[in-house]
Amino acid sequence: MSSERVLVELSKGVNGLDKIILRETRGSSAEVYLYGGHVTSWKNDHGEELLFVSSKALFKPPKAIRGGIPICFPQFSNHGPLEQHGFARNRFWSIDTDPPAFPTNSSGKAHINLILRPSEEDMKIWPHSYEFRLRVALGPGGDLMLTSRIRNTNTDGKPFTFTFAYHTYFSVSDISEVRVEGLETLDYLDNLQNKERFTEQGDAITFETELDKIYLSTPTKIAILDHEKKRTFVIRKDGLPDAVVWNPWDKKAKAMADFGDDEYKHMLCVEAAAIEKPITLKPGEEWRGRQELSAVPSSYCSGQLDPQKVLLGS
Ligand code: BG6
């Protein structure tokens, strides 16, 4: 069998960390590190990288990898007592060889199932037993699908509550030429203004300074239009009502040791999330949150994401 036909390959990544390479027969691919359950690469069938990973990313525990798709669990950002963005992004996940059946059929697609369970140390900082199953799958057209299933396995009868985000770093040609559609007129919490609540104007979101907002009750479809690349990313999400939009801009970029001074120009985070209304699970209950990413040529024109059309699921 030629190597192109191997759909799932276990390999070594930066600093000898284990990674899984997914390949789709038409040429698209993705890479997932067991460290963080972290997707670090998603390429289209021309071999073009669609995710941003900083040239200064450390790939060294306990620092989370800067870029790709960190998983924020059980806490988004500093919205709680735990470390920033929780601990799932800097734990070692395992390959889940025998996951319970998934509602969405991924058979035939290149996919990998990972699992995270708490260690004794983790139980000291977040005293709950859980199983976090993550499936990363590459669709035939190169779409990247992430499905998270989190189950409360507490035996003490206690529920637990968490917030969550897929902290996706998209690669863009020039942040000044990018706009985000689908979040117009929505309420948001501004992380740069003490999480105060505001309402977005009617226009698509563009970027000319630092931005760090949590959009609330967002549609299931959001688009990032990159004019220079003539590419549009479409994010479809399920179980994740909120969407964080973040670009650190120049000052914060300089302050981050694992991020290049000018790299803010070439990335944008749009994060499918559940933050405003934290998820509570009783023992035995399971939550599911899914995001599907596609990259399409920009003939996909503006206006397609007007709220009415989105609500109707077009
Ligand atoms: C975003 C937050 O999701 O992540 C920002 O909204 C934060 O406030 C950013 O700065 C990066 O966080 P970290 O912990 O990866 O540096």
Side-chain angles (χ1 to χ4, degrees), residues 140-162:
D143 294 358
L144 183 68
M145 285 154 280
L146 276 78
T147 309
S148 288
R149 299 188 296 176
I150 297 170
R151 177 177 287 277
N152 182 335
T153 53
N154 273 337
T155 50
D156 57 7
K158 290 205 179 113
F160 62 64
T161 297
F162 63 90

Side-chain angles (χ1 to χ4, degrees), residues 91-258:
R91 293 294 185 271
F92 283 92
W93 294 55
S94 309
I95 294 176
D96 188 9
T97 45
D98 189 21
F102 267 75
T104 38
N105 182 15
S106 298
S107 57
K109 290 176 190 154
H111 70 268
I112 187 77
N113 294 301
L114 302 183
I115 186 161
L116 181 70
R117 292 191 179 95
S119 67
E120 274 175 32
E121 288 305 301
D122 293 343
M123 294 288 271
K124 289 181 193 155
I125 52 171
W126 201 63
H128 298 293
S129 178
Y130 62 87
E131 286 172 347
F132 184 152
R133 291 193 155 82
L134 171 68
R135 170 171 290 195
V136 181
L138 208 50
D143 294 358
L144 183 68
M145 285 154 280
L146 276 78
T147 309
S148 288
R149 299 188 296 176
I150 297 170
R151 177 177 287 277
N152 182 335
T153 53
N154 273 337
T155 50
D156 57 7
K158 290 205 179 113
F160 62 64
T161 297
F162 63 90
T163 48
F164 178 95
Y166 291 117
H167 194 309
T168 310
Y169 288 72
F170 292 93
S171 169
V172 298
S173 53
D174 175 359
I175 187 69
S176 318
E177 299 292 322
V178 165
R179 68 172 198 269
V180 176
E181 292 188 355
L183 303 175
E184 303 84 348
T185 71
L186 297 180
D187 280 6
Y188 63 88
L189 308 179
D190 194 337
N191 285 327
L192 301 177
Q193 297 191 63
N194 298 318
K195 306 186 179 86
E196 247 188 88
R197 192 174 181 125
F198 299 94
T199 303
E200 192 56 74
Q201 301 304 304
D203 301 328
I205 294 153
T206 52
F207 300 87
E208 47 199 27
T209 182
E210 181 184 1
L211 193 137
D212 190 352
K213 296 177 178 176
I214 304 169
Y215 290 88
L216 307 172
S217 305
T218 61
T220 55
K221 203 157 116 187
I222 298 168
I224 303 168
L225 289 85
D226 183 340
H227 289 296
E228 215 170 289
K229 271 262 155 66
K230 296 190 172 51
R231 174 187 293 148
T232 297
F233 292 108
V234 181
I235 304 163
R236 290 185 181 79
K237 57 192 180 60
D238 187 26
L240 298 162
D242 305 321
V244 183
V245 179
W246 179 61
N247 183 289
W249 221 255
D250 55 350
K251 257 202 225 120
K252 206 159 269 177
K254 287 202 177 87
M256 288 189 284
D258 61 345

Side-chain angles (χ1 to χ4, degrees), residues 70-88:
I71 302 278
C72 304
F73 170 83
Q75 175 185 299
F76 174 75
S77 190
N78 57 0
H79 294 234
L82 302 178
E83 64 190 277
Q84 161 100 344
H85 288 324
F87 48 74

